[in-house]
Amino acid sequence: MITWQSKEIIRLVTEKYPEWDGFTHPPFVADEIDYKRKAVKQTRELIGRKLFKELLTAGDYDEIISRLEKAGRLTNLMYTAQLRNGDLAILYADGLNKWEFCQQVFSLLYDDRPTPDKLDSFREYCLINKLPLRWPFASYFLFITKPSAEVFVKPRVAKWFMQFMGFGEMYESELSADMYEQFKKSWHGLKAELGGFGDYPAKDMIDIQSLLWVVYGVSQKRVEGLDTKGQIELDRPTALREPEPEYLMHYELDDSTFDEPQDKEIYTLESCAAETGFEVEQLEQWRNNIDRRKQGIFYGPPGTGKTFLARKLAEHMVSETNGFIETVQFHPAYDYADFVEGIRPNIDSDGQMAWANRPGVFLKFCRKAQSTSAICVMVIDEMNRGNLARIFGELMMLIEYREDAITLPSGEYFIVPDNVRIIGTMNTADRSIALIDHALRRRFACMHLAPDFRLIEKYHQTHETGFAPAKLINLLGDLNRDIADPAYSLGVSYFLTPSLQTDLPQIWQTEIEPYLEEYFFNQPDKVKKYRWANLSGSLV
């Protein structure tokens, strides 16, 4: 008999994939299956039984550990952003006896004993030697080397699934052979049940794992602030639900939670060109520069569209992927504690204020980016308004050498993931880019944006505003020649508005004139020359 849980799992997966008709559904395969099967093949090439045995015999334990690390990073299933606190922490444990550890891993993966016996041995070894003992490490390598039988256990998802299937009281957070066997029975039971329900045959545990991750992600989005118990209850069919739960609470996504790809509209370079006014070829060049260096800066005078361009180009770079964009603005009070990590006040459970080390926006961004292989973009607006050497600290090295790790002041090991891109903007009228730390500037692709008055003409033609910009463009050319400093030239974004015909006097008097008064503070005749009262007749 088919349980309501199986029907609900099918219903939940179709919330993300409305035309889902089984494990061969092309979008599902592309998002969830293909990269994992590729990782299985690559893992066999790295640590297959024969090769692993040869390396053991040769005593090349460093190579084995290196290959285990590479295999662990082939997918986004494990949390690896924090070396000593992540799912691969055991590889970096102090005082690790490499010979003994490699022997234990080989036994875990390739001994002919039943899996529960091998897990018990590995668990006992870790406890005796005080090594990190976590579900993801052992179960991942079992799963990735033998996906036909073994399962990958991510605690939060595993707990959700066990409760969803009605076995919540059996869940244990500590690694144990008995708990692992219960997970296996549940996964294989689901596989068998789905094969007979609506003809959804799964090939192996990769299919089942992928299905559960999608369903878990859909469940989280549906229930928002509910805790795990609330998720389970809300996922029940209406007739089986208990009364509305009273345990609504603030829910903060765990750093190690697997992020499912989000469906996104295509945002092509052509779309970006239509919105920004720049040519596709120019946008492609800028995008390639950012991809090559992994970080870039748009710099130029005010009003040249740097921030708008950076955000739109970032939108293109994450289009059709589960990548994401975050934006931050630097300012004179911004520092390392805001950006990377630092001591911050915190209210404890008793309502008392205490001081605790807190991750900054970039550290949290990198942790989140570690959960996907897609490009993730951080846009940093007004970079040169902050003290960059104080803000970036050791990131000066890490943004260039993405394979290297450093120890943060908190003791955490940290790397900048290879899929992270940084796009900064700098206003040269605030501070000349020449004053930016050369060590930092060398690590960025620097792309200059000068006022391009063709954008004004193109904007008003495209939007059919009725405004004829020829006289304004000539005036702006004369004004910038009088300014005579490219770093302070007047840009075009002031005039990219559909109501310019009526708004131009207000724009000029409240935005342009104050700028000129500051720049020409000791040249009152030039300020007078460009007062609206002296220009309006020639422009309107």
Side-chain angles (χ1 to χ4, degrees), residues 251-510:
Y251 176 74
E252 184 175 349
L253 186 66
D254 185 88
D255 285 333
S256 60
T257 299
F258 178 78
D259 284 339
E260 288 298 329
Q262 306 294 315
D263 294 329
K264 295 182 179 179
E265 295 182 2
I266 301 174
Y267 189 72
T268 63
L269 277 179
E270 287 74 16
S271 302
C272 187
E275 287 202 71
T276 63
F278 294 101
E279 299 296 331
V280 170
E281 293 76 11
Q282 179 64 78
L283 292 170
E284 185 175 21
Q285 182 182 356
W286 286 332
R287 182 198 63 192
N288 292 342
N289 285 338
I290 295 167
D291 273 334
R292 175 179 57 85
R293 292 295 291 157
K294 295 186 172 61
Q295 45 265 341
I297 295 173
F298 288 110
Y299 70 99
T304 47
K306 300 177 290 297
T307 302
F308 184 74
L309 172 61
R311 299 183 72 167
K312 288 300 175 181
L313 202 55
E315 185 178 344
H316 163 69
M317 293 173 73
V318 304
S319 176
E320 292 190 279
T321 75
N322 61 331
F324 57 91
I325 304 166
E326 290 190 14
T327 303
V328 64
Q329 187 178 65
F330 285 178
H331 52 77
Y334 208 81
D335 64 11
Y336 183 89
D338 299 305
F339 197 57
V340 184
E341 68 171 13
I343 304 298
R344 286 289 183 261
N346 180 53
I347 304 299
D348 62 22
S349 58
D350 296 325
Q352 301 299 313
M353 191 183 77
W355 295 90
N357 189 69
R358 295 293 184 192
V361 293
F362 188 68
L363 185 54
K364 290 190 285 188
F365 173 84
C366 288
R367 288 176 179 174
K368 187 177 177 183
Q370 190 71 34
S371 69
T372 177
S373 59
I375 296 298
C376 303
V377 184
M378 172 164 278
V379 176
I380 305 177
D381 195 31
E382 303 283 5
M383 279 187 69
N384 54 328
R385 296 194 68 221
N387 184 329
L388 296 182
R390 186 176 67 178
I391 293 172
F392 274 81
E394 57 273 88
L395 294 184
M396 289 266 207
M397 179 189 76
L398 292 187
I399 60 174
E400 180 172 17
Y401 300 102
R402 297 295 180 93
E403 299 300 321
D404 290 355
I406 55 93
T407 303
L408 297 176
S410 63
E412 175 185 330
Y413 275 30
F414 176 62
I415 61 172
V416 178
D418 196 57
N419 61 325
V420 164
R421 301 291 182 269
I422 302 171
I423 304 178
T425 70
M426 291 187 174
N427 188 339
T428 53
D430 286 342
R431 184 190 297 174
S432 171
I433 194 171
L435 298 179
I436 298 304
D437 190 296
H438 286 275
L440 182 65
R441 183 153 58 96
R442 182 183 65 80
R443 290 165 167 83
F444 283 77
C446 295
M447 297 160 286
H448 183 243
L449 284 185
D452 186 349
F453 299 129
R454 293 173 300 176
L455 297 180
I456 300 178
E457 185 175 11
K458 183 184 294 186
Y459 177 89
H460 290 283
Q461 287 178 349
T462 302
H463 292 80
E464 299 180 347
T465 65
F467 180 80
K471 292 181 179 179
L472 174 63
I473 291 173
N474 290 334
L475 172 65
L476 294 175
D478 292 340
L479 173 57
N480 282 341
R481 280 187 287 273
D482 278 342
I483 290 176
D485 186 340
Y488 291 88
S489 294
L490 199 66
V492 302
S493 63
Y494 303 99
F495 313 105
L496 304 182
T497 171
S499 55
L500 186 62
Q501 185 76 43
T502 56
D503 291 348
L504 183 57
Q506 289 75 30
I507 292 172
W508 196 274
Q509 290 173 298
T510 62

Side-chain angles (χ1 to χ4, degrees), residues 512-530:
I512 308 303
E513 286 187 13
Y515 180 75
L516 298 179
E517 287 169 359
E518 182 177 353
Y519 184 75
F520 293 124
F521 71 96
N522 60 349
Q523 301 178 65
D525 289 343
K526 285 191 176 179
V527 175
K528 182 178 180 180
K529 175 182 177 181
Y530 291 105

